[in-house]
Amino acid sequence: MSARDKIFNALINNRDDYISGGQMAADFGISRNAVWKNVKSLQEQGYVIEAVTNKGYRLVKCPDILSPELIKKELNPALSGPDIEVRAEVTSTNTVLKETASLHPDKDYLLVAGRQTMGRGRLGRKFYSPDGDGVYFSLLLHPKLTGAESQYLTTAIAAAVAKAIEKVCGFNAVIKWVNDIFVNGKKVCGILTEAVIDFETAGLEYAIVGTGINITTPKDGYPDEIKDVAGALYEHGKAIPGVRNSLVAATINYFYEYYEKLAEKPFLEEYKKRSFLIGESVKVIGNIAAPDDYYEARVLDIDNDLRLVIETPDGGIKTLMTGEVSIRKI
Ligand code: BTN
């Protein structure tokens, strides 16, 4: 851990008290001048740190910035989680991790961004990722899973994000099979999982689980093509400070609870409990390019293999695989 991280942790862990520069210098084996320089660098990042002669330093306010320190601070201390990097802007957190996966051959790696210029969604769609209104993060993992089991990563992160939204923001977050998170009838989060298979072992070489959460509605609203579906957790400018760091941390905490035993599907109960399509009438669209070509059905369940169990109007029972169809609630 860098001296800056140590000083930051000391300040944040003693938020109500002053810590003397001399104490931190002795604890971290650096000079008082080095303490001061690191405090100054934190102040330049927007942290309000009071410096009082004969008392020391006190953290008064954290800025609403995305920061690896603030994410780490809220991670479960028992977690041997990912290394974390935060960038203000990337093309796509999934794309950047794919390009740099070889730099992290063993360790999990979390890349978080405040903006994506080329955010990607499922089925080749774009994912609208404007600055300041969302948080976009991808987790690089090296799971011991078969290709078929890799879909559990998506389901596990969907359950984890929904729980995180509820814990951090207090909203009821529900899941639209297979991986969209809705709050108050609008899609507030999308998930894109990409995996590279090792052909020799038929297992995964690595997987990248990408999550985009809409935190606030953009100032000028959503683009026409998504405005009927997309929503955000808060109105523009009304998010609680620090919510982006807290949501990333809570999602990671919940995800790793599942990840340890992923093949046993520990997320299934939570996922089904939050799946709002169960019991609903839906349109089943076989070809996204022809959305008017659909049939109606009632969703009976999500089975243990994460397939949607539906009843067709003639009383027939079908199971649908993820990626096979598009489902619209009637
Ligand atoms: C979808 O709803 O179609 C999936 C959207 C996934 C968006 C996330 S944002 C972080 C990561 N990087 C990307 O380019 N996409 C995923």
Side-chain angles (χ1 to χ4, degrees), residues 92-94 116 119-122 127 138 187 190-192 210-212:
S92 144
T93 49
N94 269 37
Q116 297 185 120
R120 294 188 290 115
R122 291 175 63 230
F127 188 75
S138 298
K187 174 174 166 177
I191 294 162
L192 176 67
T211 306

Side-chain angles (χ1 to χ4, degrees), residues 123 125 285-293 323-328:
L123 307 166
R125 296 190 189 114
I285 303 162
N287 174 3
I288 319 278
D292 291 337
D293 185 8
E324 197 176 59
V325 288
S326 172
I327 302 289
R328 306 264 159 89

Side-chain angles (χ1 to χ4, degrees), residues 47-326:
Y47 295 96
V48 180
I49 300 167
E50 202 177 44
V52 176
T53 317
N54 294 331
K55 280 188 168 176
Y57 301 104
R58 186 172 72 99
L59 180 63
V60 178
K61 201 171 157 215
C62 289
D64 189 22
I65 56 163
L66 271 172
S67 120
E69 292 92 352
L70 289 172
I71 295 170
K72 278 182 214 155
K73 168 91 185 62
E74 295 190 54
L75 286 182
N76 178 352
L79 191 79
S80 105
D83 288 343
I84 303 178
E85 179 184 349
V86 171
R87 295 198 200 171
E89 177 185 303
V90 293
T91 49
S92 144
T93 49
N94 269 37
T95 306
V96 172
L97 277 190
K98 228 193 266 181
E99 287 164 358
T100 53
S102 62
L103 302 177
H104 318 286
D106 309 310
K107 188 91 179 26
D108 298 351
Y109 199 83
L110 176 69
L111 177 62
V112 186
R115 175 174 187 230
Q116 297 185 120
T117 53
M118 292 168 74
R120 294 188 290 115
R122 291 175 63 230
L123 307 166
R125 296 190 189 114
K126 289 182 190 153
F127 188 75
Y128 184 62
S129 318
D131 194 11
D133 287 309
V135 63
Y136 316 100
F137 55 103
S138 298
L139 188 55
L140 171 71
L141 300 161
H142 305 85
K144 302 235 173 320
L145 295 174
T146 63
E149 286 167 337
S150 61
Q151 63 162 319
Y152 303 160
L153 293 167
T154 308
T155 328
I157 202 97
V161 175
K163 277 175 84 174
I165 290 175
E166 191 160 310
K167 174 173 183 267
V168 175
C169 312
F171 303 136
N172 181 30
V174 289
I175 301 171
K176 177 168 177 270
W177 183 85
V178 57
N179 57 358
D180 290 338
I181 311 294
F182 278 63
V183 169
N184 293 328
K186 294 280 186 176
K187 174 174 166 177
V188 298
C189 168
I191 294 162
L192 176 67
T193 302
E194 299 179 284
V196 170
I197 308 276
D198 178 338
F199 278 110
E200 285 188 8
T201 62
L204 291 190
E205 194 177 317
Y206 65 80
I208 295 169
V209 185
T211 306
I213 307 179
N214 300 334
I215 304 289
T216 44
T217 42
K219 198 155 144 271
D220 299 320
Y222 286 101
D224 281 350
E225 58 276 21
I226 56 169
K227 71 172 192 296
D228 292 339
V229 180
L233 298 174
Y234 301 95
E235 281 172 37
H236 192 77
K238 301 240 170 97
I240 47 174
V243 71
R244 292 179 302 166
N245 297 309
S246 302
L247 279 172
V248 174
T251 301
I252 296 298
N253 284 337
Y254 286 131
F255 174 78
Y256 272 89
E257 279 176 22
Y258 297 139
Y259 185 56
E260 279 157 18
K261 294 185 182 156
L262 200 68
E264 293 169 31
K265 299 179 237 180
F267 48 79
L268 199 59
E269 196 185 325
E270 187 72 37
Y271 182 85
K272 281 178 69 167
K273 196 176 83 188
R274 291 181 185 270
S275 290
F276 72 87
L277 288 183
I278 297 176
E280 296 291 337
S281 295
V282 294
K283 286 180 185 177
V284 182
I285 303 162
N287 174 3
I288 319 278
D292 291 337
D293 185 8
Y294 65 84
Y295 60 91
E296 290 187 8
R298 205 165 68 83
V299 177
L300 299 180
D301 202 359
I302 291 170
D303 72 12
N304 287 352
D305 292 320
L306 301 167
R307 291 174 304 200
L308 201 67
V309 185
I310 57 164
E311 183 182 22
T312 50
D314 60 6
I317 308 290
K318 272 188 168 184
T319 53
L320 304 174
M321 298 274 286
T322 152
E324 197 176 59
V325 288
S326 172

